[in-house]
Amino acid sequence: MSTPDTSRPVAGQGGDRAVGDAGGDSEFAAHQTTGGAEAATATVIDKDYPVTPVPTHARKGFFSLAVVLLGFTVFTPTMVAGAQLGVSFNLNDLIIVIALGSLVLGAYVAALGWIGARTGLTTVVMARYTLGTRGSKLASLLLGGTQIGWYGVCIGMIGDLTAQALGWDTFAAKAAIMIAVSALMCITACYGYRGMYWVSLISTPLILVLAFWVMSRSLAEVGGWAGLAAIEPESQMSIAVAITAVVGTFVSAGTQAPNWTRFARSGRQAVIACLTGFLIGNALMIFFGAIGAITFGEGDFVLILYRMGLVGWGLFLLFGNLWKSNADAAYSFGVAGAEAFEKPSKTRFIVVGSIIGTVLALIGVHEHLPQYLGLLGTFIPPLGGVIIGDYLARWRRTQMPEGEKLPRFNLVTLGIYVVSCALAWSAGELAIGIPPVIGILAALVLSLALAKLSPKR
């Protein structure tokens, strides 16, 4: 617990900010700090407010928020996790495992999303109030760096699968594809919430229709639902490992849900939108992958469409879902960069991060990154648990007020984060329980229990 930093945090420089009442999520009320609202508003040059609370006039309706979050989770690489489950469980057990894992994931993301809506802040800016003005740089590095890595993985995937579909084997052809699609995703992210909304609104319904059609073709291969239920699993997997796989598909990205739910008009809207995306959307993609693995021996519907000779539709599914999901990733590392360097605009960080991710894809690092990034997934969920616990214990009544004097490092919460990460990692090594859930719960409980040891407000 260090000496307080008497400078105002960047998150406290906004004009209007939406807050909830101490007891629930009724209507948001406009709030201004004493003397500085007009001057602070003039410094905000980014309409997405990456380091300031989203003002009341910029809030979005439920439909808009649900479209963005559903578009975020309709992500074909999630089908790979579903494929692993599909060959390990019968139909009834498969549905139970997906439902349980999705409930855990949805509850965690919804809690963070609720806080994002009530404070109007991104995850990395909320980390300033939890970890300190300098301690929050850990969150920015962890969340932003991980998203740059996944951005590169997706760019490389698009290059490889597109070249495979079109029979282009040269590196120059793959490189041209990667650079072109990266530029498109980068531009979409620079447009911010509005750009991601329109891409998701147009592509997500079409992708879901196509995915349901492929699922119907898959069921026809095995004689419908009765035939699918009669198929015995080829391998075995414990329930704990299976639920871990479901939770792990989007728990890292879900930690950054406040990046979008901060635009919600109420905490209730944010919760329902998060459940729509992470409980329904993510569960559907896992289920699709499982059915594809059972019926065609391939969980990725893109490759199934290739095999069926529907290369054009396969490319549409590939581009459509990775475009919007990777634009979300670019947006996330953009706002993380804005917090880390304390700048009022995300654009430069989106551009630089996109370039780094594209270079990683061009040199082939994307073929080796998923395992490493998956390991980082163990260390990201406890961050969300610390933020939730610390918010409930210390900030809920005042909604992380602007101008609050914050310490440079909150050694209590930083210590809780380290201990929770160690517990989650150990659980994974020893195959005990569900590592992401253990990390989240440990961080949440310890943050609530030890809140009084944090620097006085």
Side-chain angles (χ1 to χ4, degrees):
M1 296 181 290
S2 62
T3 305
D5 182 353
T6 57
S7 61
R8 289 191 175 194
V10 175
Q13 293 177 352
D16 294 337
R17 68 187 292 270
V19 298
D21 59 79
D25 294 317
S26 55
E27 294 299 319
F28 282 95
H31 172 74
Q32 294 181 338
T33 52
T34 305
E38 293 80 10
T41 302
T43 66
V44 178
I45 60 175
D46 190 320
K47 292 183 179 179
D48 277 82
Y49 308 91
V51 290
T52 57
V54 177
T56 305
H57 67 81
R59 299 285 175 140
K60 311 294 182 181
F62 167 75
F63 177 78
S64 170
L65 191 63
V67 166
V68 171
L69 289 177
L70 186 60
F72 187 33
T73 55
V74 175
F75 184 55
T76 54
T78 302
M79 293 180 178
V80 176
Q84 296 173 346
L85 300 180
V87 297
S88 303
F89 295 94
N90 59 43
L91 181 59
N92 289 336
D93 291 340
L94 174 67
I95 293 174
I96 292 173
V97 165
I98 293 176
L100 289 175
S102 298
L103 281 172
V104 172
L105 177 63
Y108 167 68
V109 175
L112 278 172
W114 173 72
I115 298 173
R118 287 168 62 85
T119 62
L121 301 174
T122 64
T123 303
V124 290
V125 175
M126 287 193 295
R128 290 187 171 196
Y129 291 80
T130 296
L131 304 178
T133 57
R134 294 294 177 266
S136 65
K137 307 311 176 192
L138 170 65
S140 296
L141 178 63
L142 187 62
L143 295 177
T146 304
Q147 290 303 300
I148 289 176
W150 281 120
Y151 183 91
V153 168
C154 291
I155 292 296
M157 184 184 300
I158 287 180
D160 289 344
L161 291 179
T162 303
Q164 174 185 333
L166 301 177
W168 297 347
D169 298 325
T170 66
F171 173 76
K174 292 182 181 180
I177 295 169
M178 293 181 193
I179 293 172
V181 297
S182 180
L184 182 64
M185 294 167 181
C186 177
I187 292 171
T188 303
C190 288
Y191 270 98
Y193 185 99
R194 181 178 58 176
M196 291 178 289
Y197 167 74
W198 283 108
V199 171
S200 296
L201 182 65
I202 295 171
S203 63
T204 302
L206 296 175
I207 289 170
L208 288 175
V209 169
L210 182 60
F212 275 109
W213 179 81
V214 175
M215 184 183 74
S216 68
R217 290 289 300 269
S218 299
L219 290 172
E221 292 287 320
V222 295
W225 291 105
L228 185 67
I231 297 176
E232 293 296 324
E234 300 174 359
S235 60
Q236 293 184 341
M237 180 185 295
S238 70
I239 297 293
V241 171
I243 293 177
T244 298
V246 175
V247 174
T249 54
F250 251 90
V251 70
S252 297
T255 303
Q256 304 191 68
N259 294 352
W260 297 278
T261 62
R262 63 200 176 97
F263 288 94
R265 291 177 181 151
S266 72
R268 186 177 294 105
Q269 284 187 352
V271 168
I272 298 174
C274 285
L275 293 177
T276 300
F278 288 84
L279 179 58
I280 299 176
N282 193 60
L284 277 176
M285 300 311 289
I286 295 174
F287 189 63
F288 290 152
I291 290 181
I294 295 171
T295 56
F296 284 103
E298 174 59 65
D300 191 337
F301 278 11
V302 173
L303 296 179
I304 291 176
L305 288 167
Y306 284 2
R307 291 183 184 181
M308 295 170 63
L310 302 174
V311 174
W313 285 113
L315 287 174
F316 168 77
L317 182 60
L318 175 69
F319 276 94
N321 86 92
L322 290 186
W323 177 10
K324 55 187 175 50
S325 295
N326 236 22
D328 289 336
Y331 183 87
S332 293
F333 60 67
V335 298
E339 191 285 326
F341 292 93
E342 302 185 4
K343 300 296 182 181
S345 175
K346 67 186 183 303
T347 304
R348 74 188 75 179
F349 302 104
I350 290 176
V351 173
V352 172
S354 298
I355 292 173
I356 295 173
T358 305
V359 170
L360 291 175
L362 289 172
I363 63 178
V365 177
H366 66 280
E367 298 176 0
H368 309 286
L369 273 179
Q371 293 78 13
Y372 172 67
L373 294 172
L375 177 63
L376 287 181
T378 302
F379 305 123
I380 291 177
L383 175 63
V386 171
I387 290 175
I388 294 170
D390 189 62
Y391 173 81
L392 293 176
R394 297 201 302 140
W395 299 107
R396 183 178 177 184
R397 290 187 179 278
T398 50
Q399 304 304 308
M400 296 180 170
E402 302 176 36
E404 181 77 13
K405 293 180 180 179
L406 302 175
R408 290 180 175 86
F409 296 95
N410 185 338
L411 298 184
V412 174
T413 50
L414 284 168
I416 290 172
Y417 170 72
V418 172
V419 170
S420 301
C421 286
L423 290 174
W425 181 81
S426 299
E429 292 295 306
L430 299 174
I432 300 174
I434 305 170
V437 176
I438 289 175
I440 293 168
L441 291 179
L444 174 61
V445 172
L446 289 174
S447 295
L448 289 169
L450 303 178
K452 291 183 179 180
L453 299 180
S454 290
K456 299 296 182 182
R457 292 188 44 213

